[in-house]
Amino acid sequence: MALLLDILLYEPEIPPNTGNIMRLCANVGARLHLIKPLGFTLEDRLMRRAGLDYPDWSRVTTHDSLAACLDAVRPPRLFALSTRGGRCYAEVDFRAGDSLLFGPETRGLPDEVLAALSADRRLRIPMRPGNRSLNLSNAVALVAYEVWRQSGFAGEDG
């Protein structure tokens, strides 16, 4: 399966979400980057249960900081997903090599991280008024599948 994108989780907190995202990455051909501190260990039984045997199929790397992650990945384009983003993710023409940055479940990405990106790189997922946010693994799935869809589902086995 062709590598389409890198998914960066900034300080993820909930093990089953990360396990689900690990499984998702294996299925769409993405690399997963976990930016410390993590709210769990990679051996956490809840994370392992959600990821099942996918750690063997996923490319997962941990990084000590966002700067270290970006230095290692060197994304040609970085998009941050946030409820405070102004541009809908579905308006973007994604390309192979793009990176998607998601914040921790309980607080989202810090203001300084969002401010470092231009407005067209701060994306949101549409929701009904008054709702806080989607579950992290659901948000990652929506956007990752949109990237893959735009590629014509490159590498799909069907």
Side-chain angles (χ1 to χ4, degrees), residues 10-29:
Y10 181 88
E11 301 180 3
E13 301 165 326
I14 301 174
N17 282 338
T18 300
N20 288 338
I21 294 166
M22 184 182 298
R23 187 176 191 161
L24 170 79
C25 287
N27 279 289
V28 301

Side-chain angles (χ1 to χ4, degrees), residues 68-113:
C69 179
L70 295 175
D71 188 50
V73 175
R74 297 198 180 282
R77 298 193 313 166
L78 175 65
F79 294 94
L81 279 291
S82 172
T83 57
R84 293 169 282 151
R87 184 177 182 198
C88 176
Y89 79 96
E91 297 172 1
V92 177
D93 289 323
F94 290 105
R95 301 179 205 145
D98 283 346
S99 291
L100 306 174
L101 175 64
F102 295 84
E105 292 90 338
T106 61
R107 61 190 187 281
L109 289 166
D111 290 337
E112 62 271 12
V113 170

Side-chain angles (χ1 to χ4, degrees), residues 64-155:
D64 289 330
S65 67
L66 178 57
C69 179
L70 295 175
D71 188 50
V73 175
R74 297 198 180 282
R77 298 193 313 166
L78 175 65
F79 294 94
L81 279 291
S82 172
T83 57
R84 293 169 282 151
R87 184 177 182 198
C88 176
Y89 79 96
E91 297 172 1
V92 177
D93 289 323
F94 290 105
R95 301 179 205 145
D98 283 346
S99 291
L100 306 174
L101 175 64
F102 295 84
E105 292 90 338
T106 61
R107 61 190 187 281
L109 289 166
D111 290 337
E112 62 271 12
V113 170
L114 291 172
L117 294 169
S118 62
D120 68 320
R121 300 287 173 89
R122 296 188 303 255
L123 308 179
R124 65 178 170 74
I125 296 170
M127 296 184 300
R128 298 195 40 118
N131 290 329
R132 292 184 324 186
S133 65
L134 293 175
N135 171 278
L136 178 63
S137 61
N138 290 337
V140 173
L142 277 170
V143 183
Y145 266 87
E146 175 60 15
V147 173
W148 199 28
R149 184 195 68 79
Q150 287 184 21
S151 78
F153 297 109

